[in-house]
């Protein structure tokens, strides 16, 4: 399949490739994915952790100690903990969310999957998600993992993004198109 050159050429992508290679070599890809999932959730839930990632005034040593503490609390694997130590030491913690997304994309590609972000005005039911996933898998020719977002601003319908492709069937877009057509 091959992962996008844009991902692997970016700074976050290079770190993610290195982590994936180390995890693959150790047979720990699933463990690292789980670690990064817990870490991503912690970043989303904790303003203090977000501050740690983006505060340039925190010294390397302090950032490394704090990240080690976070790794301990989250029970992260030794490989993930060492990785976090490296990026803290290199002052790249601000890029961690990008690295997590890149790692997820690389791992999904290695499994023959593709990831799609689905934005709806209201949460979808499990049966609707299953139908959408099946239709996208047929369209793409491989398994599709759905990441869902709720954005009431789209009013209804859905917006699906698969890589650089976007399928926008939101009511907001339809209304904007209608408005433009009526203006002449």
């Amino acid at each position: 399949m091959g992962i996008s050159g844009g991902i692997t050429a970016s700074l976050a992508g290079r770190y993610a490739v290195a982590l994936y290679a180390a995890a693959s070599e150790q047979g720990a890809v699933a463990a690292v994915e789980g670690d990064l999932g817990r870490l991503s959730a912690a970043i989303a839930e904790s303003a203090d952790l977000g501050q740690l990632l983006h505060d340039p005034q925190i010294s390397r040593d302090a950032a490394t100690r704090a990240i080690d503490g976070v790794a301990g609390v989250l029970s992260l694997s030794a490989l993930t903990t060492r990785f976090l130590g490296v990026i803290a030491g290199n002052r790249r913690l601000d890029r961690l969310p990008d690295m997590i997304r890149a790692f997820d994309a690389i791992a999904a590609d290695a499994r023959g999957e593709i990831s799609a972000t689905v934005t709806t005005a209201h949460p979808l039911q499990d049966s609707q998600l299953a139908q959408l996933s099946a239709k996208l898998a047929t369209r793409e020719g491989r398994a599709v993992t759905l990441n869902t977002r709720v954005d009431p601003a789209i009013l209804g319908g859905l917006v699906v993004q698969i890589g650089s492709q976007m399928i926008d069937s939101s009511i907001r877009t339809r209304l904007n198109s209608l408005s433009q057509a009526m203006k002449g």
Side-chain angles (χ1 to χ4, degrees):
M1 302 273 159
I3 194 70
S4 164
I7 289 176
T8 57
S10 70
L11 175 76
R14 290 191 304 267
Y15 276 90
V17 166
L19 178 58
Y20 184 83
S24 182
E25 187 176 290
Q26 295 178 19
V29 172
V32 171
E33 272 188 291
D35 289 348
L36 295 179
R38 288 192 306 281
L39 186 57
S40 184
I43 292 167
E45 293 171 9
S46 171
D48 290 338
L49 184 52
Q51 176 71 21
L52 170 68
L53 298 182
H54 298 289
D55 190 345
Q57 295 180 344
I58 297 176
S59 71
R60 290 175 198 245
D61 291 336
T64 301
R65 285 192 308 275
I67 284 296
D68 282 343
V70 168
V73 168
L74 295 176
S75 301
L76 302 181
S77 68
L79 176 60
T80 304
T81 301
R82 283 192 309 276
F83 173 75
L84 292 174
V86 167
I87 64 172
N90 291 344
R91 300 194 65 77
R92 299 291 189 205
L93 284 175
D94 61 322
R95 303 304 302 270
L96 181 58
D98 296 333
M99 292 174 196
I100 293 171
R101 283 189 292 277
F103 184 92
D104 289 344
I106 293 165
D109 185 69
R111 288 190 303 271
E113 298 174 355
I114 191 166
S115 179
T117 301
V118 178
T119 305
T120 57
H122 304 285
L124 294 177
Q125 298 173 355
D126 290 341
S127 61
Q128 292 170 315
L129 288 171
Q131 288 175 340
L132 180 58
S133 180
K135 287 183 189 244
L136 290 173
T138 300
R139 179 181 186 270
E140 295 297 317
R142 55 184 169 161
V144 177
T145 302
L146 298 179
N147 301 309
T148 59
R149 289 184 34 213
V150 174
D151 181 2
I154 70 167
L155 303 175
L158 52 91
V159 178
V160 179
Q161 183 162 0
I162 304 173
S164 62
Q165 299 175 20
M166 183 172 294
I167 304 165
D168 188 344
S169 65
S170 66
I171 291 176
R172 178 182 62 195
T173 299
R174 290 180 187 176
L175 289 173
N176 288 342
S177 297
L178 181 60
S179 173
Q180 290 298 320
M182 290 189 333
K183 286 180 182 176

